[in-house]
Amino acid sequence: MDKLELILQEYQGAKRDSLIPMLQDIQESEGFLSENSIVKVGNILHLPTSKIYGVATFYNQFRFQPNGKFHIQVCRGTACHVLGSSTVLKEIEKKLKIKAGQTTRDGLFSIEIVACIGACGLAPVISINGQFFAKVTIDSLTEIIESFRNKEK
Amino acid sequence: MSLNITINKKPVTAEKGEYILDTLERNGIKIPTLCHMKEMLPSGACRMCLVEIEGSGKLITSCSYPVEEGMSILTHSPRVINARKTIVELLLSNHPDDCLFCSRNKNCELQSLSEELDVRQRRIIGKKNNYSLDISGLSLTRDPDKCILCGRCIRECEEIIGVSAIDFSFRGSKTIVGTSFNKGLNTSSCVNCGQCLMVCPTGAISEKSHLNQVIEAISNPEMQVIVQYAPAISVSLAEEFGLEAGRDINGIMNAALRKIGFNRVFDTSFAADLTIMEEASELLHRIEDKKPLPMFTSCCPSWVKYVEEFWPAMLPNLSTCKSPQQMMGSIIKNYYSKVEKTDPAKIYSVAVMPCTAKKFEAQREEMSTNGMADVNAVLTTRELAKLIRIFGIDINKLQPEPADSPLGTRTSAGKIFGVSGGVMEAALRTAHFVITGKELNEHRFAQLRGFQGIKETKVKVGDMELNVAVVNGLGYALPLMEIIASGKSNIHFIEVMTCKGGCIAGGGQHIGANTDAIIARGKRLHDIDERESINVSHLNPQVMELYNKFLGKPLGETSHEYLHTNYSKREVLK
Ligand code: SF4
Ligand code: SF4
Ligand code: FES
């Protein structure tokens, strides 16, 4: 049995108040909430998928696409904010032509907004697959992203 | 228990437990509302209905706040007026400014409110909404830019229709109403009933217009353009022209349709009589052959789609009869074309329906012959009114005219298809005759009329007792379906109409009609049944002629080919 089925089995007969924990467990295991998993959650809880999608999109924590090969976390904590992390985010979104929470078509990059990652001295900071990049600027971003893209070539 | 309160300094008595809004309304004070829906629990989402409580100075939502002893309410203090105005200004701040081009121009609650509150300048400037249209559905278009997030469509779809195809997603300034995964109505469980459109205060939901195609066909001299209209249209169209609800303008409508340029004017009620001939025979056949019972009616395309999506195991219970619209469409293309010696490809077949789901139905693959659609375009009651205006026709100056022969003759049994319970009544009348060879002593079934959600009765037919039920509003189907699925039902025949009241309250009807208007439309259909002398489908002379000349007998081979179909399971995001 695959991991999704195992999680679903745990929740057989569960009530509607299990919705959030259920979604969290699935995301934890799968990395995102697929259409298929939401349909199955709906069957167990007797909830329409429109409602589940509504609840899931209300919270920032849920994703609806698998992470890209290179998962970019953009820190939007206070220190980073003061030093221009909103420009950083906008720039990355522009470069990759996706929004935070999404994954590029080729599956290479995804963007996630995170609250303070505890590296305020390095602000504005981003992390790609756990590797930190300090004091990023528009120029350095181009380089960073290209270097990851090149890894694929 | 009565409570003593004051409204605008005047003493008034109120009922304990009622909401302030209801007390105010009873006392002739009009309070603007947006999210409020009659006969549903308040949601308190829009804050449009604010009133001031004197003393505490609090502004509270009158729709969701019960009256209290000694309360002193100010309904139009400067603070209240200001607050209401600000709410409208905020709603306008991100709203697209395209009223002139909007489907709801001059019939929009947001427009009326800003007019009533005398909003005369753009005081609050926000970023304009810029979402993409959902044009994926065959019946409806959703435009999230025009949505003011009142939530009425969501509640209608969930609480009344029982489908829940749409809901709020995301939050804060990014909140929108949409289908799951925002994948569009087409792949959702939406049954195209259009009831969300009927409750929407703005132009955020509109029907897929077929007006242009129809106008083009009319102006094409190569085309024979034939129109049919549903039983409910003649008693509903008047309201679009400001006439009283329930007025029957059938003759005038015939004249208008001819003036517009339709070459033939037929009455879908004829096809309703035909449906009854087939459906009553099918019912007997099922009872005799122990085929799946209860049999469900299949004239409501929203209901059919609902079964395909939610109850696929019960598809064998759906009558195989096509709906009257589609029977008429098929007879026009496959029989009438021969009578007229016209190439069916040169016939453009238009149906005027009180319904948005009929647009979807006409485009179903099952509803075509040799790859040619049986019905080419479907106009709603609203679109017909537009067409009449576009062609500059003054309906007050028209003399009534009859419909065309041979597909324009109907009995009153076909006419009552337009109101909940009508299909069942008509079917029982003919079923009784087919089984016993005699007419019913009393062919009116009071128990099957009216606005309750579920209506049931027993009818003695020969030595058989038929148990029948009528579902009036799709939301009431669920409990009944559960009983049937558990095998504990002894019902033989069930009529289901998605819209509460039947087609007279369809999603293609006049927007803004109240319950009284809908009751008046239904009453007129029943009056027609009372007044006219031929009340049974099997006495429709033209239907008999059609059987003699073309179809043979009900459920015969030719009928099967042209009047029946089958449905299959439908995978959607539900
Ligand atoms: S058309 Fe009917 S089923 Fe579809 S979203 Fe609107 S109310 Fe729901
Ligand atoms: S689409 Fe219409 S009814 Fe639905 S929430 Fe928006 S404004 Fe209200
Ligand atoms: S009408 Fe009362 S809060 Fe919307």
Side-chain angles (χ1 to χ4, degrees), chain B residues 24-297:
Chain B
L24 295 175
E25 196 172 279
R26 211 181 36 246
N27 284 281
I29 299 173
K30 198 176 152 243
I31 302 292
T33 61
L34 275 174
C35 67
H36 182 65
M37 297 178 86
K38 281 220 163 67
E39 285 153 42
M40 288 197 200
L41 289 173
S43 76
C46 73
R47 309 199 69 73
M48 201 60 229
C49 62
L50 290 174
V51 292
E52 182 172 345
I53 302 303
E54 219 186 356
S56 79
K58 270 203 284 189
L59 295 180
I60 59 171
T61 49
S62 59
C63 72
S64 58
Y65 214 96
V67 281
E68 282 164 18
E69 176 64 34
M71 216 173 210
S72 167
I73 300 164
L74 298 175
T75 63
H76 290 85
S77 65
R79 269 189 77 204
V80 170
I81 292 174
N82 240 322
R84 286 187 197 141
K85 199 164 167 176
T86 306
I87 291 167
V88 172
E89 287 173 318
L90 278 167
L91 290 173
L92 289 172
S93 70
N94 60 1
H95 202 81
D97 289 322
D98 65 353
C99 297
L100 275 178
F101 308 98
C102 182
S103 64
R104 292 287 294 273
N105 190 22
K106 300 202 289 185
N107 188 8
C108 165
E109 291 177 34
L110 185 59
Q111 210 177 44
S112 314
L113 278 175
S114 74
E115 169 65 26
E116 277 162 26
L117 290 162
D118 199 32
V119 175
R120 282 290 164 262
Q121 60 180 4
R122 184 170 290 288
R123 201 163 58 83
I124 306 168
I125 297 174
K127 193 159 165 266
K128 293 287 168 198
N129 290 337
N130 190 13
Y131 299 102
S132 34
L133 287 175
D134 177 3
I135 56 165
S136 67
L138 294 179
S139 294
L140 301 169
T141 298
R142 295 193 69 262
D143 182 356
D145 284 359
K146 291 184 183 161
C147 172
I148 56 171
L149 305 174
C150 68
R152 270 151 59 169
C153 54
I154 299 172
R155 301 191 67 191
E156 183 76 18
C157 190
E158 177 178 356
E159 296 172 38
I160 307 292
I161 306 299
V163 166
S164 284
I166 46 178
D167 208 332
F168 290 117
S169 51
F170 301 96
R171 73 163 154 191
S173 64
K174 297 207 173 80
T175 308
I176 57 164
V177 175
T179 57
S180 57
F181 287 89
N182 270 315
K183 284 185 92 179
L185 287 171
N186 194 26
T187 50
S188 78
S189 53
C190 167
V191 296
N192 303 305
C193 69
Q195 290 302 318
C196 50
L197 180 164
M198 298 303 280
V199 298
C200 180
T202 73
I205 312 172
S206 53
E207 72 245 57
K208 278 268 163 70
S209 171
H210 290 181
L211 274 176
N212 286 344
Q213 292 102 291
V214 171
I215 293 173
E216 220 165 88
I218 290 172
S219 64
N220 182 346
E222 303 256 291
M223 279 291 174
Q224 160 99 319
V225 189
I226 300 181
V227 67
Q228 59 166 310
Y229 48 75
I233 306 293
S234 75
V235 297
S236 314
L237 183 64
E239 290 160 68
E240 282 285 331
F241 296 94
L243 303 172
E244 89 262 15
R247 175 134 151 213
D248 184 12
I249 55 168
N250 207 333
I252 288 171
M253 180 169 77
N254 290 334
L257 290 167
R258 288 205 181 94
K259 271 216 140 128
I260 290 167
F262 289 103
N263 303 108
R264 290 286 178 275
V265 178
F266 292 146
D267 189 340
T268 314
S269 308
F270 166 90
D273 281 331
L274 184 59
T275 306
I276 286 303
M277 296 302 293
E278 296 290 326
E279 206 160 2
S281 309
E282 185 185 353
L283 177 64
L284 300 181
H285 195 70
R286 279 175 187 256
I287 294 174
E288 283 165 8
D289 285 13
K290 309 239 172 324
K291 291 253 186 65
L293 288 173
M295 178 170 92
F296 299 133
T297 54

Side-chain angles (χ1 to χ4, degrees), chain A residues 35 49-51 54 57-58, chain B residues 164 167 170-171 180 183 574:
Chain A
E35 217 176 276
T49 55
S50 59
K51 239 175 218 348
T57 52
F58 186 84
Chain B
S164 284
D167 208 332
F170 301 96
R171 73 163 154 191
S180 57
K183 284 185 92 179
K574 57 177 190 255

